[in-house]
Each structure stands twice: as C-alpha cells, then as structure tokens.
Amino acid sequence: DAGITQSPRHKVTETGTPVTLRCHQTENHRYMYWYRQDPGHGLRLIHYSYGVKDTDKGEVSDGYSVSRSKTEDFLLTLESATSSQTSVYFCAISDRTGGNEQFFGPGTRLTVL
Amino acid sequence: TQLLEQSPQFLSIQEGENLTVYCNSSSVFSSLQWYRQEPGEGPVLLVTVVTGGEVKKLKRLTFQFGDARKDSSLHITAAQPGDTGLYLCAGPPPGSGGSNYKLTFGKGTLLTVNP
C-alpha cells in the first residue's frame, strides 16, 4: 500500500473556526490531491499540487486553501469553517504512471457544527 | 454535468450471484480506472483499462473497456460478502491531453453482498 497518512482522522469544530487538515506521504510522488466525498456527489476535487509550491484549484475550491512546502506534505485549510464543509476529506497521490492512477489516504471525517 | 455515469446506483445481492455494474459516458476517455472503497476507508485502485475492447481479469472480477472508449463494465462472478463496497470508475477528463493530472469520478455503485 502507498504510504499516505491523514491527520486528524476525525474532527468536530464550530462554524467560523479555522481548520487545517494534513496529508503526509512517504512515496515521493510529485502530485497530491484533496477531495471531498459527500452523498449524492461522489468524489470532488478541491485543490491539487503538481510540485512543491505549485498548486491549482479543483472544481469545489471556494472556501479552501492549500499549501505544499515539502514534497511529502500537503495541507488543506478551511479559513472559516461552515456547515456546508461537513464532509469526508481524502488526500490522494500520484506519480502519473499509466492513466494517472491515484492512491488514497484513509480520510478525515470533519463535522462543522 | 457528470462526465461518468454509473449504474446501478445501489445493488444488493446474495452470496454466489453474478453481477455487472456499468460506467458510461458520451465522451471518449484515454483510459478508465476502477476503484473499490470499503466503509470508512479510502478508494483502492483495482485496475486501469487503456485500449478499446480491452478485457482484464482480476480473480473473480472482469473489467471491460468499450470499443469506442466511452464505457466500461465490471463483472463479478460468484460474489462474496468481501466484495461489498462502493465501486467507482474514474478517468482523465477528455481533452486534457498530457498536461492534465486530474481524474474525474463517477458517483459509484454501492454493492452489498449478503451471506
């Protein structure tokens, strides 16, 4: 299995507070991704990174920011959490072999009250 | 607009039955992938199909990529409770070429195999 960890695994927070989720990989893959998964919507891309300090927006980026200062770490920040951001968040990595196969972390379940 | 449509959305069967789930698009994909996601975990890659008409087998799972590369199917023979999970198809967005690193996902088929 690809070495990907996410922290925290569960978090409950209140509306308006900042939240940072961390993704850490030991595979030295260049590409990293943040998704959210919600019933009825499937997996949706929030932001992705194609190298250190190189990031770009996905389809649901509003309200989220990311940073990647090292190859192994990709941080997702909710500047001011809202209830609509209650979701399960997955990090994924890829080295773009074949058809861009991605390897996923275990997920973070975030609840915003 | 959902680029990849999966059907059925839900499927509940008994152990030992066969089943097929589908992933369809009106667009041509350079490749398609299938993932399985178990409750409380992240998706795990099962297979990538690249060539139109390609068939790949993984034990009791058979994956097929349509000749026109617009659809794919997953057939499971003699399903077991361990096959329970959410099956997702995904592929690089059409027209993305070699410079795009993203995947677009279908919403998945939730399979339950009852003992």
Side-chain angles (χ1 to χ4, degrees), chain A residues 9 30-31 33 35 37 40-43 45 48 50 57-59 90 96 98-107 109, chain B residues 2 9 31 33 35 37 40-45 48 50 86 88 91-92 97-107:
Chain A
R9 293 293 315 277
R30 177 180 176 186
Y31 302 92
Y33 309 82
Y35 293 89
Q37 187 174 38
H41 292 280
L43 278 165
L45 183 64
Y48 64 101
Y50 46 96
K57 297 179 180 180
E59 60 181 298
F90 288 100
R96 281 200 73 207
N100 190 24
E101 291 94 346
Q102 295 184 8
F103 301 95
F104 286 80
R109 182 172 294 276
Chain B
Q2 194 74 21
Q9 190 176 356
S31 63
Q33 299 162 23
Y35 293 80
Q37 183 178 19
E41 300 182 7
V44 175
L45 178 69
T48 300
V50 179
L86 178 68
L88 297 161
S99 62
N100 194 291
Y101 339 106
K102 297 185 285 188
L103 289 176
T104 187
F105 283 82
K107 293 183 180 181

Side-chain angles (χ1 to χ4, degrees), chain B residues 2-72:
Chain B
Q2 194 74 21
L3 275 175
L4 290 168
E5 298 285 349
Q6 292 191 243
S7 61
Q9 190 176 356
F10 301 97
L11 185 58
S12 180
I13 62 170
Q14 294 300 122
E15 183 175 2
E17 294 182 357
N18 301 332
L19 67 114
T20 302
V21 298
Y22 301 93
C23 175
N24 295 299
S25 178
S26 58
S27 302
V28 175
F29 279 78
S30 58
S31 63
L32 282 177
Q33 299 162 23
W34 286 91
Y35 293 80
R36 179 170 63 209
Q37 183 178 19
E38 298 185 14
E41 300 182 7
V44 175
L45 178 69
L46 295 174
V47 77
T48 300
V49 286
V50 179
T51 305
E54 181 177 6
V55 176
K56 282 191 174 180
K57 293 190 175 184
L58 186 66
K59 297 183 180 178
R60 294 176 294 100
L61 279 60
T62 301
F63 304 85
Q64 187 163 5
F65 200 13
D67 291 341
R69 291 185 287 126
K70 292 184 177 181
D71 57 87
S72 182

Side-chain angles (χ1 to χ4, degrees), chain A residues 40-99:
Chain A
H41 292 280
L43 278 165
R44 293 181 291 174
L45 183 64
I46 304 171
H47 281 281
Y48 64 101
S49 169
Y50 46 96
V52 174
K53 298 187 179 179
D54 291 323
T55 65
D56 205 349
K57 297 179 180 180
E59 60 181 298
V60 290
S61 59
D62 287 349
Y64 301 95
S65 62
V66 289
S67 66
R68 191 170 178 199
S69 59
K70 298 185 290 184
T71 298
E72 57 266 34
D73 290 325
F74 193 30
L75 304 180
L76 176 70
T77 298
L78 291 66
E79 300 291 347
S80 178
T82 67
S83 58
S84 65
Q85 294 176 311
T86 292
S87 187
V88 181
Y89 291 85
F90 288 100
C91 174
I93 64 174
S94 172
D95 63 359
R96 281 200 73 207
T97 55

